Amino acid sequence: MGGRKLISLNDQWQFHKDKEPQQPVIIPHTWNTKDVLDDQPGYYRGLGFYTRKLKFDESARGKQIFLIFNGVGQEAEVFVNGTLAARHIGSYTRFTVPITKFLNYKNDVVEVQVNNRFNEDIPPLTADFTFFGGIYRNVNLLIADEVHFSQSENGSSGIFITTPEVSSSSANVKVNSYIENAGTTDKVVQIIHQIFDAKGLLIATKTANIKIIKGEKKSVVQDIRSIKNPELWSTENPYLYRIISKILDAKTKKVIDQVSHPLGFRWFKFDPNTGFFLNGKPLKLMGASRHQDYEDLSNATPDALQIRDVELIKEMGGNFLRVAHYPQDPLILETCDRLGILASVEIPVVNTITESAAFTNNCLNMEREMISQNFNHPSVIIWAYMNEILLRQKFTDDKPRQQIYFDHVRELAQKLDSLTRKLDPSRYTLLVNHGAWDLYNKVGLTKIPMIVGWNLYSGWYSGVPADFEKFLDRHHKELPNTPFLVTEYGADADPRIRFTDPVRFDKSVEYAVKFHQTYLNAMLNRQFVAGGMAWNLADFNSETREETMPHINNKGLLTIGRKPKDTYFLYQAYLLQKPYLKITSAQWNERTALADSGKTTSTQLIQVATNFKTAELYLKGVSLGIKDAVDHMIDWQVPFKNGINKLSVISGDQNDQAEINFQLQPYRFTDTIPFQQMNVLLGAKRMYIDEKQHQLWIPDQPFRKGSWGYVGGMPFKGNNNRISYGSDKNILGTDHDPIYQTQQVGIEQFKFDVPDGEYELVLHFAELLGGEAKETLAYNLENNTKKEIEQRRIFNVLINDEMFMENVDLATDYGYATAVEKKTRVTVFGKKGITISFNNLVGKAVLNAIQLRKIY
């Protein structure tokens, strides 16, 4: 510990909001875990109060005592014994509070007032993620000597390490230490930096004696030269040295203060024609971006889960992490250092700015804090400061005023870039744009940073996937001297939705696989593309989103609970250097479908991800043939039987297995396959899996005699031109939105030619048109208010010619975008089957989904 004590203060906190009663909480903590997932628009953005008692023994007297907050969202005021000790602005950087002068060492109390309100002077202003409130990262108590490494350097350790010269034969190290004397007398101290290798052997030492007068803070720069034959840090061999820095009493040689930092010897460069080089060798930077929240925890995420995220990038075959859109827990970069994951870090200036001096100052201060706190990590090679800043264009009806706004954006970008280059000339600067090429060039934002980042979603938000490679080539042609990264790309993949013939916006896992194949091929085949970061490593919370899984952005390669999707396995097939073979469709292990005509099997797709050229698939030990891999995937059409189907795939010395539980539906109800239950989505082509209730939903079909299906009508098509598939509205009153987001409009009948018996019938409805006009979300690449044309509808529902629901007016009776479920029993006799008829009174009748279960 070397003269200092660092003690966790995560326990024994009391918390309350406004006038609510106090409750005990453990840090990390946020007050937004539940309200960001409910059906009520918005979430609590206001004040929260945390209090904790401090208890010191006599050894603390005469020491310097600090509180260290690693993350508080987003404005914090810290009081000690009722006196304001510090203020801090920004959710995502560490701040240190000196509290010695406020203590009585008897009954000390700390209170932290936290506010995550909207504040136009604090970024982020808007974004496709949630601005959680609370003390959501670890809190520590630091007890140090009067002479110590400074704790007033923007939340850093007070030590800044650079490696100005590195080669395979030698390396130089420069250490800039800020020393502080908070005592009442002048002191003579010794500053020592020792470099240890990974085995713990001391390989270099640098010592300096200095005099530091009372109340002084001074910088001490020491050079450690000519370290011979350094072991280089790389993504394959992330070799870490340690620098242990000490302050000793010059007379007694007693250690007064001591800190440790990682040290990695590496050099790197970006080239606009040949990409990225690490230690003189070309390296394609491939990986993902990361948000910090986790299922059921929001952003108050335990250490072990954060470490696991970086491990998952490494296990994916990735070598890069875009820490987006804000600095994250110190554990993230520590783990990147250890595992060999290169990284960029950015401040949360997203979508738009405020043209105020306070906003600019807060941005500049966030950049200082980010760089200071993360300066000593060998994994960090890029500092970034803006993301899609022109996504929210202001003053669209006033072009002269808009030009002034654009000038302010450019001026802020230039200030941030200049500050960054001054604070750290050893790393690159990055500004990230969305795909509006002409706009960003016109405003001048592509001319400021050392690297340009592009967030590209061709084939998702707009265009087709093939447009992506055209954009890459355009950058290389029109900005030939500017290196660039593809900093975002992705497509929603709701793990509950499957589609054997996927289309844009169906939210199926299968569409996302095809999307990522196209993007990976384009990037890996172009040397000038320095790298690509999938958006996102994992699904994350975005409270304003609706869509199939409301409040969640589903573009992750993993679920928000970090369960791999098929896309994660695809990346392993592309990026891993070791042999890889995986039945990705094993994720879809509960299935249902109609039997093929005249057969007792149903043919469905099975996909395998691999870096082998070929593989052979077996069903219950019978070969289904050897097939070639195309873009690291192999497809088989598999004849599934009712019940458990055991699959195995073999290539070389690798193999993988899967079990698929298949519920076979009869092609005709008179077939030998017994009918038990059927769940049908109207106006849909996709399949939906309710894992909790083990209910499997299939697409509808036109009525076929002897079978089932709809008569009349057309699939729902909303007024939003961006969405070509169903609705993306949040359906109230259900967690199973995909059941209600498609429908058959103008349906006349739905028929089941079932045999005589007793059945349970469930009809599902939701009015998908109308309701409050909502502001279109910026990330959907529109910037207007969405107003739908309401279509009043009143209809009757009859079952076998008997009235079941009369004068149904979904909007009036239940509300817009609200799940309606109506259940009944039907006795079938006389071989009449079941016919549900819809009689229009006003407008056109709709049906969203239907279920039928045989009772006996």
Side-chain angles (χ1 to χ4, degrees):
M1 295 172 67
R4 65 163 56 190
K5 291 182 181 179
L6 188 67
I7 305 164
S8 171
L9 284 188
N10 285 348
D11 58 350
Q12 299 181 319
W13 290 88
Q14 295 289 320
F15 168 76
H16 70 97
K17 290 187 298 186
D18 295 336
K19 298 179 181 179
E20 295 179 5
Q22 286 193 337
Q23 56 179 315
V25 297
I26 301 294
I27 306 300
H29 172 262
T30 177
W31 58 67
N32 292 124
T33 300
K34 294 182 179 179
D35 63 351
V36 295
L37 294 172
D38 62 27
D39 278 338
Q40 297 299 315
Y43 55 102
Y44 182 75
R45 299 193 66 179
L47 274 168
F49 301 85
Y50 295 83
T51 57
R52 191 193 193 281
K53 295 179 180 178
L54 297 179
K55 185 177 181 180
F56 297 97
D57 56 34
E58 285 302 311
S59 66
R61 292 186 182 272
K63 300 289 187 179
Q64 292 298 300
I65 301 175
F66 305 87
L67 293 173
I68 301 175
F69 296 89
N70 282 290
V72 179
Q74 70 175 354
E75 300 172 72
E77 292 186 329
V78 181
F79 296 82
V80 180
N81 296 327
T83 302
L84 179 65
R87 289 188 175 95
H88 184 260
I89 287 175
S91 294
Y92 308 109
T93 47
R94 181 169 56 245
F95 62 99
T96 301
V97 182
I99 64 171
T100 310
K101 64 182 180 182
F102 305 107
L103 299 174
N104 61 35
Y105 300 95
K106 295 178 182 178
N107 53 357
D108 295 300
V109 176
V110 174
E111 180 183 34
V112 186
Q113 296 184 13
V114 183
N115 201 328
N116 68 330
R117 63 177 176 154
F118 173 81
N119 185 329
E120 66 178 6
D121 289 328
I122 303 176
L125 300 173
T126 71
D128 184 18
F129 57 93
T130 300
F131 308 150
F132 301 101
I135 304 178
Y136 72 94
R137 292 184 191 157
N138 296 325
V139 180
N140 292 304
L141 182 75
L142 173 63
I143 302 175
D145 194 88
E146 289 180 334
V147 179
H148 54 270
F149 292 110
S150 176
Q151 295 300 302
S152 59
E153 294 302 309
N154 298 304
S156 73
S157 65
I159 294 175
F160 301 90
I161 302 165
T162 56
T163 53
E165 295 181 29
V166 178
S167 71
S168 58
S169 58
S170 68
N172 296 340
V173 179
K174 183 186 290 290
V175 185
N176 185 6
S177 307
Y178 287 86
I179 316 297
E180 198 165 339
N181 181 2
T184 56
T185 60
D186 300 346
K187 295 286 179 69
V188 177
V189 295
Q190 196 172 65
I191 313 300
I192 298 178
H193 302 293
Q194 298 172 309
I195 299 179
F196 295 85
D197 67 13
K199 296 179 181 178
L201 298 176
L202 179 64
I203 64 166
T205 301
K206 192 69 174 182
T207 303
N209 288 340
I210 66 164
K211 181 179 180 180
I212 182 166
I213 64 176
K214 61 183 180 182
E216 182 185 16
K217 181 179 76 174
K218 69 164 48 179
S219 167
V220 180
V221 178
Q222 294 163 274
D223 292 319
I224 306 172
R225 297 184 178 277
S226 300
I227 296 172
K228 301 299 182 184
N229 303 315
E231 186 87 19
L232 298 180
W233 186 97
S234 69
T235 55
E236 296 86 5
N237 178 35
Y239 191 96
L240 287 177
Y241 295 82
R242 279 187 304 152
I243 283 196
I244 296 180
S245 304
K246 300 177 183 179
I247 304 175
L248 278 65
D249 185 288
K251 292 182 180 179
T252 66
K253 305 303 180 185
K254 178 184 176 183
V255 177
I256 297 173
D257 199 9
Q258 175 179 305
V259 293
S260 176
H261 292 96
L263 175 64
F265 291 114
R266 81 284 184 271
W267 74 94
F268 55 90
K269 74 168 185 175
F270 285 86
D271 184 276
N273 294 308
T274 53
F276 177 75
F277 292 79
L278 180 64
N279 302 330
K281 299 177 181 179
L283 179 68
K284 184 76 76 171
L285 299 174
M286 298 301 297
S289 300
R290 175 192 187 261
H291 272 296
Q292 62 187 1
D293 54 310
Y294 199 96
E295 187 175 32
D296 299 327
L297 298 170
S298 295
N299 63 343
T301 309
D303 293 355
L305 295 180
Q306 305 212 52
I307 292 170
R308 181 61 185 150
D309 275 2
V310 185
E311 292 173 343
L312 284 163
I313 292 178
K314 191 72 175 180
E315 292 172 13
M316 184 180 84
N319 57 26
F320 194 91
L321 171 62
R322 180 186 176 210
V323 180
H325 292 299
Y326 41 79
Q328 297 179 10
D329 193 282
L331 282 167
I332 296 299
L333 293 179
E334 289 175 4
T335 311
C336 287
D337 293 340
R338 188 175 67 253
L339 296 183
I341 301 293
L342 292 160
S344 64
V345 193
E346 63 198 58
I347 59 170
V349 185
V350 183
N351 289 1
T352 186
I353 71 165
T354 300
E355 298 165 279
S356 69
F359 185 88
T360 296
N361 290 335
N362 284 331
C363 292
L364 293 169
N365 190 57
M366 289 178 182
E367 191 80 359
R368 286 189 197 95
E369 290 184 337
M370 174 183 72
I371 293 171
S372 298
Q373 293 169 22
N374 302 298
F375 192 89
N376 296 327
H377 291 287
S379 56
V380 177
I381 58 173
I382 298 170
W383 304 118
Y385 48 79
M386 278 185 177
N387 180 78
E388 299 185 350
I389 202 63
L390 302 180
L391 190 61
R392 284 275 193 184
Q393 294 183 46
K394 294 184 177 180
F395 311 111
T396 54
D397 296 328
D398 186 346
K399 293 303 179 182
R401 179 64 181 90
Q402 186 179 60
Q403 186 57 51
I404 295 172
Y405 174 75
F406 286 159
D407 292 343
H408 284 146
V409 171
R410 185 178 60 255
E411 289 166 8
L412 176 59
Q414 187 62 68
K415 287 179 180 179
L416 287 165
D417 195 88
S418 298
L419 174 66
T420 303
R421 296 194 197 203
K422 178 182 176 181
L423 293 175
D424 187 2
S426 70
R427 293 181 170 101
Y428 283 76
T429 63
L430 170 69
L431 190 155
V432 175
N433 311 317
H434 74 281
W437 175 274
D438 293 332
L439 178 61
Y440 283 96
N441 276 288
K442 175 185 173 184
V443 175
L445 296 183
T446 58
K447 308 298 191 294
I448 294 172
M450 301 166 76
I451 310 167
V452 170
W454 291 108
N455 297 345
L456 302 174
Y457 292 92
S458 300
W460 188 248
Y461 291 124
S462 60
V464 296
D467 293 335
F468 173 66
E469 61 182 15
K470 297 175 184 176
F471 193 102
L472 305 183
D473 294 338
R474 182 178 184 184
H475 176 107
H476 189 51
K477 179 181 179 182
E478 297 187 26
L479 292 174
N481 299 317
T482 306
F484 76 97
L485 292 165
V486 183
T487 37
E488 287 184 25
Y489 60 93
D492 287 4
D494 186 330
R496 306 167 302 172
I497 292 175
R498 294 286 179 165
F499 200 163
T500 56
D501 189 19
V503 297
R504 177 174 169 239
F505 285 121
D506 62 21
K507 309 300 179 74
S508 70
V509 174
E510 286 72 21
Y511 184 85
V513 167
K514 291 176 65 176
F515 181 98
H516 282 274
Q517 285 175 301
T518 300
Y519 275 59
L520 284 166
N521 292 340
M523 291 184 292
L524 293 172
N525 291 334
R526 285 167 171 78
Q527 191 179 24
F528 59 80
V529 178
M533 285 84 248
W535 187 261
N536 195 277
L537 175 65
D539 294 348
F540 58 92
N541 187 269
S542 180
E543 197 274 345
T544 53
R545 275 188 177 263
E546 298 189 342
E547 302 173 335
T548 59
M549 193 180 288
H551 318 302
I552 301 295
N553 186 316
N554 278 130
K555 292 185 184 64
L557 306 178
L558 311 163
T559 68
I560 195 169
R562 275 44 174 190
K563 180 181 178 182
K565 302 180 190 177
D566 294 14
T567 45
Y568 181 83
F569 300 132
L570 177 72
Y571 273 74
Q572 289 183 309
Y574 267 87
L575 302 180
L576 288 176
Q577 298 302 306
K578 61 184 180 181
Y580 184 76
L581 187 68
K582 176 70 178 178
I583 302 175
T584 62
S585 298
Q587 303 280 94
W588 183 9
N589 58 7
E590 288 189 282
R591 301 191 181 202
T592 188
L594 295 185
D596 300 333
S597 178
K599 297 183 179 180
T600 57
T601 58
S602 179
T603 303
Q604 252 186 27
L605 178 70
I606 284 289
Q607 292 188 308
V608 170
T610 185
N611 51 19
F612 289 99
K613 291 183 178 180
T614 63
E616 186 171 11
L617 185 71
Y618 294 83
L619 174 63
K620 295 184 178 180
V622 178
S623 175
L624 299 182
I626 298 173
K627 288 201 169 189
D628 295 332
V630 178
D631 297 335
H632 294 277
M633 294 292 288
I634 309 177
D635 294 352
W636 279 271
Q637 293 296 328
V638 176
F640 288 102
K641 292 186 176 181
N642 207 37
I644 300 297
N645 294 257
K646 293 185 177 182
L647 296 167
S648 63
V649 65
I650 297 174
S651 187
D653 60 353
Q654 299 292 305
N655 66 85
D656 191 33
Q657 292 81 37
E659 286 191 356
I660 308 297
N661 186 7
F662 207 98
Q663 298 178 19
L664 200 60
Q665 301 286 354
Y667 185 78
R668 294 182 180 84
F669 287 113
T670 55
D671 291 347
T672 57
I673 299 167
F675 170 72
Q676 297 176 326
Q677 177 176 329
M678 182 177 293
N679 311 302
V680 181
L681 304 173
L682 273 293
K685 298 299 180 186
R686 65 192 181 191
M687 303 175 191
Y688 175 70
I689 304 163
D690 177 357
E691 292 181 339
K692 293 182 179 179
Q693 299 185 67
H694 298 280
Q695 287 188 339
L696 310 175
W697 295 77
I698 60 176
D700 62 4
Q701 64 177 17
F703 174 69
R704 179 165 41 81
K705 188 168 179 61
S707 183
W708 55 272
Y710 64 85
V711 176
M714 296 288 291
F716 170 82
K717 177 69 173 73
N719 295 325
N720 182 349
N721 291 328
R722 189 184 69 83
I723 299 294
S724 59
Y725 194 98
S727 170
D728 62 352
K729 287 186 176 180
N730 177 14
I731 308 299
L732 306 181
T734 183
D735 290 328
H736 303 287
D737 295 67
I739 295 173
Y740 299 92
Q741 289 174 326
T742 60
Q743 64 184 196
Q744 192 77 354
V745 181
I747 188 171
E748 298 169 14
Q749 291 182 327
F750 199 99
K751 302 180 72 173
F752 295 95
D753 279 357
V754 289
D756 293 354
E758 195 75 11
Y759 295 88
E760 180 183 81
L761 178 69
V762 187
L763 306 180
H764 298 268
F765 305 91
E767 180 54 71
L768 299 180
L769 287 177
E772 279 187 41
K774 294 186 178 180
E775 183 180 14
T776 301
L777 301 177
Y779 55 75
N780 283 341
L781 306 185
E782 298 175 8
N783 194 29
N784 54 5
T785 299
K786 182 169 61 178
K787 177 64 177 176
E788 292 183 328
I789 302 171
E790 296 183 16
Q791 296 183 10
R792 183 111 190 274
R793 64 183 97 249
I794 302 174
F795 56 91
N796 297 330
V797 181
L798 297 86
I799 301 175
N800 289 346
D801 297 326
E802 292 187 9
M803 187 67 70
F804 175 56
M805 298 172 68
E806 190 170 6
N807 295 325
V808 177
D809 185 339
L810 295 172
T812 302
D813 297 344
Y814 303 101
Y816 297 98
T818 301
V820 179
E821 176 185 307
K822 293 298 179 180
K823 184 186 299 185
T824 188
R825 286 197 172 201
V826 180
T827 301
V828 178
F829 57 92
K831 299 182 179 180
K832 293 181 179 179
I834 300 174
T835 299
I836 304 102
S837 300
F838 300 84
N839 294 341
N840 297 321
L841 303 177
V842 178
K844 296 179 179 181
V846 295
L847 179 64
N848 297 63
I850 190 167
Q851 294 173 277
L852 186 69
R853 179 173 64 88
K854 187 171 185 179
I855 301 171
Y856 54 83

